[in-house]
mmCIF file of all heavy atoms in Angstrom:
data_model
loop_
_atom_site.group_PDB
_atom_site.id
_atom_site.type_symbol
_atom_site.label_atom_id
_atom_site.label_comp_id
_atom_site.label_asym_id
_atom_site.label_seq_id
_atom_site.Cartn_x
_atom_site.Cartn_y
_atom_site.Cartn_z
ATOM 1 N N GLN A 1 -5.895 0.482 22.392
ATOM 2 C CA GLN A 1 -5.995 2.065 22.105
ATOM 3 C C GLN A 1 -4.841 2.598 22.717
ATOM 4 O O GLN A 1 -4.668 2.574 24.004
ATOM 5 C CB GLN A 1 -7.361 2.530 22.681
ATOM 6 C CG GLN A 1 -8.586 2.087 21.928
ATOM 7 C CD GLN A 1 -8.568 2.628 20.497
ATOM 8 O OE1 GLN A 1 -8.329 3.788 20.295
ATOM 9 N NE2 GLN A 1 -8.796 1.725 19.577
ATOM 10 N N THR A 2 -3.957 3.233 21.929
ATOM 11 C CA THR A 2 -2.854 3.969 22.447
ATOM 12 C C THR A 2 -2.911 5.474 21.862
ATOM 13 O O THR A 2 -3.865 5.767 21.157
ATOM 14 C CB THR A 2 -1.490 3.373 21.935
ATOM 15 O OG1 THR A 2 -1.464 3.412 20.463
ATOM 16 C CG2 THR A 2 -1.503 1.861 22.360
ATOM 17 N N PHE A 3 -1.931 6.123 22.402
ATOM 18 C CA PHE A 3 -1.880 7.533 21.894
ATOM 19 C C PHE A 3 -1.721 7.653 20.428
ATOM 20 O O PHE A 3 -2.364 8.614 19.727
ATOM 21 C CB PHE A 3 -0.647 8.190 22.551
ATOM 22 C CG PHE A 3 -0.768 9.750 22.389
ATOM 23 C CD1 PHE A 3 -1.560 10.523 23.258
ATOM 24 C CD2 PHE A 3 0.074 10.419 21.542
ATOM 25 C CE1 PHE A 3 -1.603 11.878 23.002
ATOM 26 C CE2 PHE A 3 0.009 11.815 21.401
ATOM 27 C CZ PHE A 3 -0.817 12.520 22.083
ATOM 28 N N LEU A 4 -1.059 6.721 19.853
ATOM 29 C CA LEU A 4 -0.900 6.745 18.326
ATOM 30 C C LEU A 4 -2.190 6.362 17.637
ATOM 31 O O LEU A 4 -2.599 7.064 16.662
ATOM 32 C CB LEU A 4 0.082 5.559 17.964
ATOM 33 C CG LEU A 4 0.340 5.316 16.503
ATOM 34 C CD1 LEU A 4 0.779 6.599 15.867
ATOM 35 C CD2 LEU A 4 1.194 4.221 16.123
ATOM 36 N N ASP A 5 -2.985 5.590 18.282
ATOM 37 C CA ASP A 5 -4.295 5.236 17.622
ATOM 38 C C ASP A 5 -5.139 6.299 17.602
ATOM 39 O O ASP A 5 -6.065 6.556 16.680
ATOM 40 C CB ASP A 5 -4.984 4.057 18.347
ATOM 41 C CG ASP A 5 -4.151 2.837 18.178
ATOM 42 O OD1 ASP A 5 -3.646 2.659 17.108
ATOM 43 O OD2 ASP A 5 -3.994 2.027 19.233
ATOM 44 N N ILE A 6 -5.074 7.266 18.604
ATOM 45 C CA ILE A 6 -5.988 8.468 18.676
ATOM 46 C C ILE A 6 -5.667 9.386 17.533
ATOM 47 O O ILE A 6 -6.475 9.823 16.772
ATOM 48 C CB ILE A 6 -5.803 9.243 19.956
ATOM 49 C CG1 ILE A 6 -6.227 8.431 21.193
ATOM 50 C CG2 ILE A 6 -6.369 10.652 20.024
ATOM 51 C CD1 ILE A 6 -5.887 9.063 22.535
ATOM 52 N N GLU A 7 -4.280 9.511 17.232
ATOM 53 C CA GLU A 7 -3.805 10.228 16.075
ATOM 54 C C GLU A 7 -4.237 9.663 14.889
ATOM 55 O O GLU A 7 -4.707 10.318 13.888
ATOM 56 C CB GLU A 7 -2.292 10.387 16.138
ATOM 57 C CG GLU A 7 -1.673 11.288 15.053
ATOM 58 C CD GLU A 7 -0.172 11.367 15.188
ATOM 59 O OE1 GLU A 7 0.360 10.786 16.049
ATOM 60 O OE2 GLU A 7 0.367 12.181 14.337
ATOM 61 N N LEU A 8 -4.116 8.401 14.700
ATOM 62 C CA LEU A 8 -4.512 7.804 13.392
ATOM 63 C C LEU A 8 -6.088 7.850 13.193
ATOM 64 O O LEU A 8 -6.463 8.084 11.963
ATOM 65 C CB LEU A 8 -4.097 6.250 13.446
ATOM 66 C CG LEU A 8 -2.662 5.827 13.462
ATOM 67 C CD1 LEU A 8 -2.408 4.413 13.666
ATOM 68 C CD2 LEU A 8 -1.950 6.405 12.338
ATOM 69 N N ASN A 9 -6.905 7.728 14.198
ATOM 70 C CA ASN A 9 -8.357 7.925 14.130
ATOM 71 C C ASN A 9 -8.506 9.445 13.677
ATOM 72 O O ASN A 9 -9.416 9.595 12.742
ATOM 73 C CB ASN A 9 -8.942 7.646 15.431
ATOM 74 C CG ASN A 9 -9.238 6.151 15.565
ATOM 75 O OD1 ASN A 9 -9.969 5.497 14.880
ATOM 76 N ND2 ASN A 9 -8.814 5.571 16.718
ATOM 77 N N TYR A 10 -7.882 10.379 14.171
ATOM 78 C CA TYR A 10 -8.005 11.739 13.720
ATOM 79 C C TYR A 10 -7.778 11.841 12.165
ATOM 80 O O TYR A 10 -8.561 12.544 11.535
ATOM 81 C CB TYR A 10 -7.046 12.517 14.629
ATOM 82 C CG TYR A 10 -7.116 14.121 14.045
ATOM 83 C CD1 TYR A 10 -8.073 14.889 14.201
ATOM 84 C CD2 TYR A 10 -6.013 14.455 13.314
ATOM 85 C CE1 TYR A 10 -8.019 16.106 13.621
ATOM 86 C CE2 TYR A 10 -5.977 15.772 12.719
ATOM 87 C CZ TYR A 10 -6.999 16.552 13.014
ATOM 88 O OH TYR A 10 -6.918 17.914 12.348
ATOM 89 N N GLN A 11 -6.619 11.205 11.708
ATOM 90 C CA GLN A 11 -6.212 11.344 10.330
ATOM 91 C C GLN A 11 -7.331 10.746 9.483
ATOM 92 O O GLN A 11 -7.683 11.223 8.424
ATOM 93 C CB GLN A 11 -4.906 10.605 10.185
ATOM 94 C CG GLN A 11 -3.708 11.337 11.004
ATOM 95 C CD GLN A 11 -2.526 10.436 10.780
ATOM 96 O OE1 GLN A 11 -2.403 9.407 10.240
ATOM 97 N NE2 GLN A 11 -1.475 10.817 11.675
ATOM 98 N N LEU A 12 -7.659 9.585 9.942
ATOM 99 C CA LEU A 12 -8.844 8.799 9.188
ATOM 100 C C LEU A 12 -10.104 9.611 8.970
ATOM 101 O O LEU A 12 -10.821 9.725 8.020
ATOM 102 C CB LEU A 12 -9.075 7.428 9.842
ATOM 103 C CG LEU A 12 -9.580 6.333 8.907
ATOM 104 C CD1 LEU A 12 -8.713 6.192 7.737
ATOM 105 C CD2 LEU A 12 -9.768 5.035 9.698
ATOM 106 N N LEU A 13 -10.520 10.262 10.133
ATOM 107 C CA LEU A 13 -11.688 11.056 10.113
ATOM 108 C C LEU A 13 -11.556 12.314 9.115
ATOM 109 O O LEU A 13 -12.503 12.717 8.537
ATOM 110 C CB LEU A 13 -12.118 11.580 11.531
ATOM 111 C CG LEU A 13 -12.802 10.450 12.416
ATOM 112 C CD1 LEU A 13 -12.762 10.887 13.929
ATOM 113 C CD2 LEU A 13 -14.084 10.072 12.033
ATOM 114 N N MET A 14 -10.417 12.935 9.221
ATOM 115 C CA MET A 14 -10.153 14.074 8.336
ATOM 116 C C MET A 14 -10.242 13.600 6.822
ATOM 117 O O MET A 14 -10.595 14.358 6.013
ATOM 118 C CB MET A 14 -8.750 14.718 8.614
ATOM 119 C CG MET A 14 -8.718 15.340 9.947
ATOM 120 S SD MET A 14 -9.886 16.607 10.303
ATOM 121 C CE MET A 14 -9.341 17.874 9.154
ATOM 122 N N LEU A 15 -9.680 12.463 6.563
ATOM 123 C CA LEU A 15 -9.878 11.783 5.218
ATOM 124 C C LEU A 15 -11.242 11.667 4.857
ATOM 125 O O LEU A 15 -11.776 12.075 3.622
ATOM 126 C CB LEU A 15 -9.070 10.563 5.045
ATOM 127 C CG LEU A 15 -9.189 9.774 3.752
ATOM 128 C CD1 LEU A 15 -8.761 10.806 2.523
ATOM 129 C CD2 LEU A 15 -8.276 8.592 3.706
ATOM 130 N N LYS A 16 -11.997 11.094 5.741
ATOM 131 C CA LYS A 16 -13.504 10.954 5.421
ATOM 132 C C LYS A 16 -14.116 12.318 5.248
ATOM 133 O O LYS A 16 -15.034 12.416 4.381
ATOM 134 C CB LYS A 16 -14.219 10.219 6.657
ATOM 135 C CG LYS A 16 -13.697 8.676 6.704
ATOM 136 C CD LYS A 16 -14.544 8.146 8.002
ATOM 137 C CE LYS A 16 -14.144 6.688 8.113
ATOM 138 N NZ LYS A 16 -14.975 6.114 9.240
ATOM 139 N N ALA A 17 -13.833 13.330 6.042
ATOM 140 C CA ALA A 17 -14.348 14.633 5.807
ATOM 141 C C ALA A 17 -13.999 15.220 4.507
ATOM 142 O O ALA A 17 -14.856 15.882 3.883
ATOM 143 C CB ALA A 17 -13.937 15.590 6.994
ATOM 144 N N GLU A 18 -12.851 14.942 4.119
ATOM 145 C CA GLU A 18 -12.451 15.421 2.785
ATOM 146 C C GLU A 18 -13.233 14.790 1.678
ATOM 147 O O GLU A 18 -13.624 15.463 0.736
ATOM 148 C CB GLU A 18 -10.881 15.059 2.578
ATOM 149 C CG GLU A 18 -10.454 15.456 1.105
ATOM 150 C CD GLU A 18 -8.930 14.983 0.776
ATOM 151 O OE1 GLU A 18 -8.316 14.607 1.776
ATOM 152 O OE2 GLU A 18 -8.542 15.055 -0.330
ATOM 153 N N ILE A 19 -13.448 13.438 1.869
ATOM 154 C CA ILE A 19 -14.287 12.709 0.835
ATOM 155 C C ILE A 19 -15.715 13.357 0.758
ATOM 156 O O ILE A 19 -16.197 13.608 -0.326
ATOM 157 C CB ILE A 19 -14.218 11.239 0.891
ATOM 158 C CG1 ILE A 19 -12.841 10.671 0.851
ATOM 159 C CG2 ILE A 19 -15.209 10.580 0.036
ATOM 160 C CD1 ILE A 19 -12.668 9.246 1.291
ATOM 161 N N ALA A 20 -16.301 13.548 1.979
ATOM 162 C CA ALA A 20 -17.618 14.036 2.092
ATOM 163 C C ALA A 20 -17.609 15.434 1.510
ATOM 164 O O ALA A 20 -18.644 15.838 0.767
ATOM 165 C CB ALA A 20 -18.142 13.977 3.495
ATOM 166 N N THR A 21 -16.659 16.197 1.774
ATOM 167 C CA THR A 21 -16.697 17.526 1.081
ATOM 168 C C THR A 21 -16.581 17.659 -0.293
ATOM 169 O O THR A 21 -17.304 18.419 -1.041
ATOM 170 C CB THR A 21 -15.455 18.418 1.726
ATOM 171 O OG1 THR A 21 -15.593 18.430 3.257
ATOM 172 C CG2 THR A 21 -15.420 19.707 1.244
ATOM 173 N N SER A 22 -15.751 16.716 -0.808
ATOM 174 C CA SER A 22 -15.600 16.605 -2.307
ATOM 175 C C SER A 22 -16.810 16.290 -2.968
ATOM 176 O O SER A 22 -17.208 16.691 -4.069
ATOM 177 C CB SER A 22 -14.491 15.729 -2.677
ATOM 178 O OG SER A 22 -14.343 15.673 -4.125
ATOM 179 N N GLN A 23 -17.727 15.456 -2.225
ATOM 180 C CA GLN A 23 -19.070 14.981 -2.735
ATOM 181 C C GLN A 23 -20.160 15.908 -2.373
ATOM 182 O O GLN A 23 -21.226 15.648 -2.553
ATOM 183 C CB GLN A 23 -19.340 13.655 -2.161
ATOM 184 C CG GLN A 23 -18.407 12.511 -2.795
ATOM 185 C CD GLN A 23 -18.622 11.102 -2.104
ATOM 186 O OE1 GLN A 23 -19.187 11.137 -0.975
ATOM 187 N NE2 GLN A 23 -18.229 10.095 -2.699
ATOM 188 N N GLU A 24 -19.805 17.101 -1.748
ATOM 189 C CA GLU A 24 -20.792 18.072 -1.381
ATOM 190 C C GLU A 24 -21.708 17.604 -0.301
ATOM 191 O O GLU A 24 -22.803 18.074 -0.517
ATOM 192 C CB GLU A 24 -21.360 18.804 -2.557
ATOM 193 C CG GLU A 24 -20.448 19.370 -3.575
ATOM 194 C CD GLU A 24 -21.123 20.004 -4.751
ATOM 195 O OE1 GLU A 24 -22.356 19.956 -4.838
ATOM 196 O OE2 GLU A 24 -20.304 20.729 -5.467
ATOM 197 N N ASP A 25 -21.424 16.634 0.425
ATOM 198 C CA ASP A 25 -22.300 16.150 1.518
ATOM 199 C C ASP A 25 -21.878 16.800 2.824
ATOM 200 O O ASP A 25 -21.068 16.414 3.642
ATOM 201 C CB ASP A 25 -22.119 14.659 1.659
ATOM 202 C CG ASP A 25 -23.169 14.096 2.553
ATOM 203 O OD1 ASP A 25 -23.825 14.908 3.315
ATOM 204 O OD2 ASP A 25 -23.390 12.759 2.581
ATOM 205 N N ASN A 26 -22.393 18.098 2.854
ATOM 206 C CA ASN A 26 -21.928 19.074 4.033
ATOM 207 C C ASN A 26 -22.303 18.474 5.349
ATOM 208 O O ASN A 26 -21.527 18.738 6.374
ATOM 209 C CB ASN A 26 -22.360 20.388 3.812
ATOM 210 C CG ASN A 26 -21.810 21.065 2.537
ATOM 211 O OD1 ASN A 26 -20.676 20.949 2.334
ATOM 212 N ND2 ASN A 26 -22.573 21.774 1.771
#
């Protein structure tokens, strides 16, 4: 776990949030 991995995890979670939003799973 490095500082970069924190950023990558953040990006990945935002992508998941985008998918959930598109599927209207609020």
Side-chain angles (χ1 to χ4, degrees):
Q1 290 295 313
T2 64
F3 192 78
L4 175 61
D5 295 323
I6 296 175
E7 183 179 4
L8 295 177
N9 276 300
Y10 170 78
Q11 297 167 13
L12 203 54
L13 285 167
M14 293 301 289
L15 175 56
K16 290 180 179 180
E18 176 184 351
I19 295 173
T21 301
S22 181
Q23 295 175 338
E24 299 184 356
D25 190 345
N26 292 323

